[in-house]
Amino acid sequence: MWNNEYWPLLIQAYLAKPEGIKSQWSRTAVDLAMELHLRPTDITDRLKTIDAHNSAPVERLLQHYKAHPRRLLRDTERLRHMSGFGDMAAFYDGVSTATHKFEALYRPVGGTPFTPAMLTILLDLYFRLVPTTMVDSTPEVRDIAQRTGLTADQVVEALHIFLFIDPAARKGSDDELAAFSPLTPLCNATWHRLDNGNPAIVAQEARRYYEYYVAPVK
């Protein structure tokens, strides 16, 4: 639920380089939406309000914080340390189902480090590689591992599970081990959610999440 006390956080997001409106799929918008338990579109809509410079109270606040960046940092830190801030149990009362579904895309599932967003990207990578290149030395594998914060071995494990799930793929003896992996049900759910592994639909969905993982995780 929106609270006007959140404006400093929105202004901080707006001023983050590159300054201006951030895409709803960007890490800045997604992370702030998850902090506030709003939809990313709620974040971008308010960033547009800041960018329009036609709301006198918001414009005064923007100019104030641009002139006093240390105060912006202090005020945003104070907000983040408020009792209950970012606490799902405290905030979910009255939060929409759509917000629940969005946040679930970026939260680890099944006791693994994988999120549904990551698994969508990995399924897209699966369709871009051939089995012989699904190894930790492949540049695309290493790049995705860096961006998602996974290890190259974890990326390879997911790729081999998708190979095991794919009814059109030839199976190797190693791939049969995927039947016993706790990651298999999660990959299977991703496969079926995306029209039974339809490459076009997978690519379309993955493009959104690539924007979140545009830079290596630090």
Side-chain angles (χ1 to χ4, degrees):
M1 188 177 298
W2 172 253
N3 185 320
N4 280 330
E5 289 187 2
Y6 296 157
W7 276 115
L9 296 167
L10 271 295
I11 289 172
Q12 186 179 58
Y14 179 83
L15 294 176
K17 295 182 178 179
E19 182 178 317
I21 301 168
K22 309 301 189 290
S23 159
Q24 71 182 81
W25 303 105
S26 67
R27 183 176 289 274
T28 300
V30 168
D31 284 351
L32 185 54
M34 291 181 72
E35 273 192 289
L36 302 180
H37 303 297
L38 299 170
R39 296 169 302 176
T41 50
D42 296 328
I43 300 299
T44 54
D45 285 348
R46 285 170 175 83
L47 292 177
K48 289 174 183 175
T49 298
I50 296 170
D51 195 66
H53 304 288
N54 58 11
S55 167
V58 174
E59 182 64 17
R60 282 196 298 270
L61 203 57
L62 173 64
Q63 296 308 322
H64 171 73
Y65 282 132
K66 288 181 86 168
H68 304 283
R70 288 185 180 177
R71 187 165 294 177
L72 174 61
L73 182 61
R74 184 197 68 188
D75 289 352
T76 53
E77 286 180 347
R78 177 185 57 80
L79 275 170
R80 288 187 165 101
H81 284 91
M82 283 171 57
S83 177
F85 182 87
D87 179 0
M88 284 190 291
F91 275 83
Y92 270 163
D93 231 3
V95 172
S96 71
T97 303
T99 306
H100 277 285
K101 287 181 178 178
F102 141 69
E103 291 194 14
L105 292 170
Y106 294 92
R107 297 196 185 282
V109 287
T112 75
F114 296 87
T115 68
M118 287 180 189
L119 289 170
T120 303
I121 285 174
L122 294 175
L123 181 54
D124 183 57
L125 180 61
Y126 166 78
F127 286 122
R128 296 174 188 275
L129 299 177
V130 295
T132 54
T133 60
M134 295 177 189
V135 293
D136 60 9
S137 58
T138 298
E140 291 88 344
V141 169
R142 300 177 72 85
D143 178 62
I144 291 296
Q146 233 186 348
R147 292 173 187 277
T148 57
L150 297 169
T151 67
D153 285 343
Q154 287 170 328
V155 172
V156 169
E157 180 187 6
L159 293 174
H160 279 268
I161 290 173
F162 284 127
L163 187 65
F164 171 72
I165 291 169
D166 187 351
R170 293 180 60 184
K171 308 295 187 290
S173 56
D174 289 346
D175 298 321
E176 296 301 325
L177 297 175
F180 305 99
S181 170
L183 188 55
T184 300
L186 306 179
C187 290
N188 207 29
T190 302
W191 182 277
H192 289 295
R193 179 174 63 83
L194 296 167
D195 196 25
N196 290 319
N198 182 317
I201 291 175
V202 171
Q204 182 179 25
E205 182 107 351
R207 273 196 295 274
R208 301 171 177 175
Y209 306 134
Y210 275 121
E211 193 170 344
Y212 182 81
Y213 299 109
V214 70
V217 174
K218 297 179 181 179

